[in-house]
């Protein structure tokens, strides 16, 4: 028994050593699994497929999308954290999986900071603040004036309690000192239908599927929720520009790998991702999805995760929001 235990220990040590010694010049030599914790066709999946295809072309190895769905992205993220640190599993991290989930639950099956090796930000997709045109609000300040005139009457929708769109609304209401009623829906499609017909007053909506409705006049766009103006709708101000400095609520995405992944592999993927996202093809493809590219160092991505957890946890606790 002692001999077997020693052999197993030696084997595990050898494998760990082998992972640590993989030079970035020989990686990748086989397909890389790109774990996406959301369904095929979702906005996160579309971004991952665009980035994965471009990484495949640049690195000469296929990046295979694996949609590991369940528990609002938790199952897929957990699978990345538990994968072998050999460079052949990467994961799509997002504001949902790495900041909102841990902000809502102290019993998460993974630590969003300690259980991943961050690679780089990919970018972010701000929400667009849209209203029912018949409401008569032509600006953010107009909308706030209406909420003050009718406190507790105007409504805003989201895809559900504790979703990022819900929290964007809470953050906005707090900043504006406005009383706005949150109406949770089972899907964004349902809430947008009610918004078009006037049964709902306002929503923080994702840009790509909402843009045609804005262009056709069925919805009125007032502002975007990012730190800077969106490349897709540069004519719109940010909420921060309309009188609320520091306001920001965006669905950011980045790439992470299992902890203990060799530093050389992380560095090569970071460099390659930065090169890919600097190309016009990448920028155009992602802008069409309402997504603005923004790369980073691994350390900067780790810092963003940690700071966003604290920021959203403060909002969640103050509002008494609980995950369902």
């Amino acid at each position: 028994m002692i001999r077997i235990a020693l052999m197993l220990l030696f084997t595990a040590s050898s494998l760990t050593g082998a992972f640590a010694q993989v030079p970035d010049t020989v990686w990748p030599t086989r397909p890389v699994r790109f774990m996406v914790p959301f369904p095929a066709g979702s906005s996160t999946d579309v971004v991952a497929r665009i980035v994965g295809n471009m990484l495949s072309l640049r690195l000469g190895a296929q990046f295979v999308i694996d949609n590991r769905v369940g528990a609002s992205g938790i199952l897929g993220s957990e699978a990345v954290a538990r994968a072998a640190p050999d460079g052949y599993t990467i994961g799509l991290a997002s504001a949902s999986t790495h900041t909102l989930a841990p902000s809502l639950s102290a019993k998460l099956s993974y630590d969003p900071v300690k259980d991943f090796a961050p690679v780089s930000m990919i970018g972010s997709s701000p929400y667009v603040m849209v209203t029912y045109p018949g409401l008569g609000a032509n600006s953010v300040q107009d909308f706030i004036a209406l909420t003050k005139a009718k406190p507790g009457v105007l409504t805003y929708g989201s895809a559900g309690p504790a979703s990022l769109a819900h929290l964007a609304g809470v953050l906005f209401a707090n900043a504006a000192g406005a009383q706005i009623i949150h109406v949770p829906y089972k899907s964004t499609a349902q809430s947008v239908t009610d918004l078009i017909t006037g049964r709902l007053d306002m929503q923080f909506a994702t840009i790509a599927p909402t843009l045609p409705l804005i262009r056709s006049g069925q919805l009125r766009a007032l502002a975007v929720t990012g730190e800077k103006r969106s490349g897709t709708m540069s004519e719109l101000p940010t909420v921060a520009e309309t009188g609320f400095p520091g306001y920001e609520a965006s669905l950011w995405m980045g790439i992470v790998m299992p902890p203990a992944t060799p530093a050389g592999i992380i560095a090569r993927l970071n460099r390659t991702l930065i090169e890919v996202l600097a190309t016009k093809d990448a920028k155009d493809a992602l802008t069409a999805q309402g997504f603005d590219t923004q790369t980073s160092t691994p350390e900067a991505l780790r810092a963003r995760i940690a700071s966003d957890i604290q920021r959203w946890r403060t909002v969640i606790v103050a509002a008494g929001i609980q995950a369902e």
Side-chain angles (χ1 to χ4, degrees):
M1 292 294 292
I2 294 176
R3 184 176 179 182
I4 292 173
L6 288 172
M7 288 177 65
L8 290 172
L9 180 62
F10 175 76
T11 300
S13 299
S14 299
L15 287 172
T16 301
F19 290 155
Q21 294 171 14
V22 175
D24 68 349
T25 53
V26 300
W27 176 89
T29 58
R30 55 187 172 87
V32 177
R33 181 175 56 166
F34 194 167
M35 198 86 73
V36 178
F38 295 102
S42 63
S43 59
T44 48
D45 175 72
V46 172
V47 169
R49 290 178 188 275
I50 291 170
V51 172
N53 287 339
M54 293 187 172
L55 288 174
S56 296
L57 293 172
R58 186 63 65 103
L59 289 170
Q62 189 175 9
F63 280 67
V64 181
I65 301 297
D66 183 348
N67 296 99
R68 192 66 61 90
V69 182
S72 300
I74 292 175
L75 294 184
S77 299
E78 182 182 31
V80 175
R82 306 290 181 258
D86 57 3
Y88 290 94
T89 297
I90 69 173
L92 188 78
S94 72
S96 296
T97 59
H98 279 65
T99 59
L100 291 191
S103 296
L104 284 162
S105 174
K107 298 179 180 180
L108 205 61
S109 58
Y110 56 84
D111 186 305
V113 177
K114 297 178 181 178
D115 289 345
F116 299 88
V119 177
S120 172
M121 283 277 291
I122 297 173
S124 63
S125 177
Y127 291 111
V128 57
M129 182 180 178
V130 289
T131 64
Y132 167 58
L135 192 64
N138 296 313
S139 68
V140 172
Q141 292 301 333
D142 283 351
F143 180 78
I144 293 172
L146 288 173
T147 67
K148 299 293 180 66
K150 301 176 181 180
V153 174
L154 269 62
T155 58
Y156 76 96
S158 80
S163 63
L164 187 58
H166 175 202
L167 297 183
V170 173
L171 193 64
F172 175 78
N174 290 345
Q179 296 180 39
I180 319 171
I181 304 300
H182 174 236
V183 182
Y185 286 80
K186 291 183 179 180
S187 72
T188 302
Q190 291 177 332
S191 60
V192 168
T193 297
D194 278 0
L195 191 59
I196 290 171
T197 56
R199 287 191 290 269
L200 189 67
D201 297 311
M202 186 270 283
Q203 181 162 317
F204 289 98
T206 49
I207 291 178
T210 312
L211 191 57
L213 300 173
I214 295 170
R215 300 295 191 220
S216 67
Q218 292 176 278
L219 296 177
R220 179 167 294 157
L222 305 183
V224 293
T225 63
E227 292 180 332
K228 59 182 182 179
R229 295 194 179 199
S230 168
T232 308
M233 307 179 74
S234 59
E235 72 279 7
L236 286 181
T238 64
V239 172
E241 287 180 283
T242 66
F244 304 99
Y247 181 94
E248 188 270 334
S250 299
L251 177 62
W252 61 259
M253 299 181 207
I255 288 181
V256 294
M257 300 181 84
T261 298
I265 291 176
I266 292 172
R268 185 174 193 203
L269 183 55
N270 176 275
R271 290 195 305 271
T272 306
L273 185 62
I274 290 172
E275 291 169 0
V276 162
L277 294 180
T279 65
K280 185 177 184 301
D281 285 349
K283 289 182 180 294
D284 289 349
L286 293 172
T287 296
Q289 300 300 319
F291 196 83
D292 297 317
T293 59
Q294 178 189 356
T295 54
S296 72
T297 64
E299 294 74 20
L301 176 53
R302 189 185 299 278
R304 168 136 199 186
I305 292 169
S307 65
D308 272 14
I309 290 171
Q310 185 58 48
R311 182 166 73 101
W312 288 120
R313 184 172 287 158
T314 300
V315 173
I316 287 166
V317 171
I321 297 170
Q322 295 183 344
E324 293 190 350

